[in-house]
Amino acid sequence: MILAREVFGPLGGVVEIGAVNSTGTWDLADVSVGGFLARKRDEMSCLMAGIRSVCRFGDAEMAMADEVGWFRDYEVSAAHLLLWSGGLTGVPEPLEKMDEPAQVRRMCRMGADIQLTDLLQALITGAVAAGTEPHQGAPRIADILGIASNLADPTGRSTPALVFRMWRVAHLSPILRADSDAPVSGRAGFRAYDEALEELHSRRDGRHNPSP
């Protein structure tokens, strides 16, 4: 259950940020999470199926998606976005400026980076814990990350390859450090997924950017 919460938490942030970005106004009064989810029903279905497969979640774990409350209609506040963005933007003075479009847009940019990176960490953790082999899990994780990145920001700013590199710095490095308390088997699993995802992104980048 803990692993499921760790997956669906950042995914909830991705959905909320995507709903805000989809307005094009960054005015919180224009945001409808329910409307966004209805428009993205097919993408969400594929994403959830991918999560179930790669993390080997059963019905109880998948039910956590409903329990966390982020995948239904609710009123989005600037405080939510401040949470998703890790408070990196700071709290403006006066507080009323926190929901101004420029500030909201900035929180969305930072929040997308953080939540997508945390989502990737949770997916790999779930895959390693479930014993999903990297050559099977890495393509599924890459597909999930591609959908999630497009949900958060369809402009292409948050690409899976960029999220992968941020994940390496934010999460993988501490796990593989000599003084890490991660078990040897866990380190090996994360290293294997790093290698598999790197190879996958290299192949995909080469396909999209052929040599002249």
Side-chain angles (χ1 to χ4, degrees):
M1 291 298 186
I2 294 175
L3 286 176
R5 187 175 292 275
E6 289 179 351
V7 170
F8 294 128
L11 181 57
V14 166
V15 167
E16 181 174 310
I17 289 164
V20 176
N21 279 329
S22 72
T23 65
T25 64
W26 293 273
D27 184 339
L28 297 183
D30 296 336
V31 179
S32 170
V33 176
F36 179 75
L37 287 169
R39 294 192 301 275
K40 302 297 183 180
R41 183 177 292 109
D42 291 344
E43 292 94 326
M44 289 297 297
S45 294
C46 289
L47 192 152
M48 290 295 186
I51 290 172
R52 179 189 282 272
S53 174
V54 76
C55 297
R56 299 184 182 176
F57 285 166
D59 292 343
E61 287 83 7
M62 294 304 296
M64 185 65 67
D66 290 328
E67 293 177 21
V68 295
W70 298 118
F71 307 106
R72 62 182 69 136
D73 200 28
Y74 61 90
E75 185 176 344
V76 175
S77 70
H80 286 162
L81 295 175
L82 188 66
L83 172 67
W84 297 129
S85 60
L88 295 181
T89 60
V91 180
E93 293 290 346
L95 287 176
E96 288 74 15
K97 291 186 64 177
M98 196 163 72
D99 61 358
E100 288 186 355
Q103 182 75 359
V104 168
R105 189 172 188 178
R106 189 160 183 259
M107 286 191 287
C108 284
R109 288 171 176 164
M110 291 188 176
D113 289 345
I114 292 172
Q115 300 310 317
L116 286 167
T117 304
D118 286 352
L119 175 61
L120 179 54
Q121 169 65 9
L123 289 170
I124 296 175
T125 300
V128 171
T132 305
E133 293 295 328
H135 72 277
Q136 295 178 335
R140 296 172 187 169
I141 288 175
D143 289 342
I144 294 167
L145 192 59
I147 296 171
S149 297
N150 194 56
L151 286 174
D153 188 348
T155 66
R157 176 187 173 276
S158 299
T159 65
L162 174 60
V163 175
F164 172 63
R165 293 196 298 272
M166 290 191 295
W167 167 78
R168 273 181 163 171
V169 175
H171 293 284
L172 182 63
S173 179
I175 290 172
L176 299 184
R177 280 174 49 178
D179 60 352
S180 169
D181 59 1
V184 174
S185 60
R187 296 188 196 191
F190 274 91
R191 185 176 282 111
Y193 265 93
D194 170 55
E195 293 173 358
L197 285 166
E198 179 181 47
E199 181 181 352
L200 189 63
H201 285 302
S202 295
R203 289 204 308 267
R204 292 184 177 183
D205 287 347
R207 187 166 65 239
H208 293 305
N209 300 291
S211 300

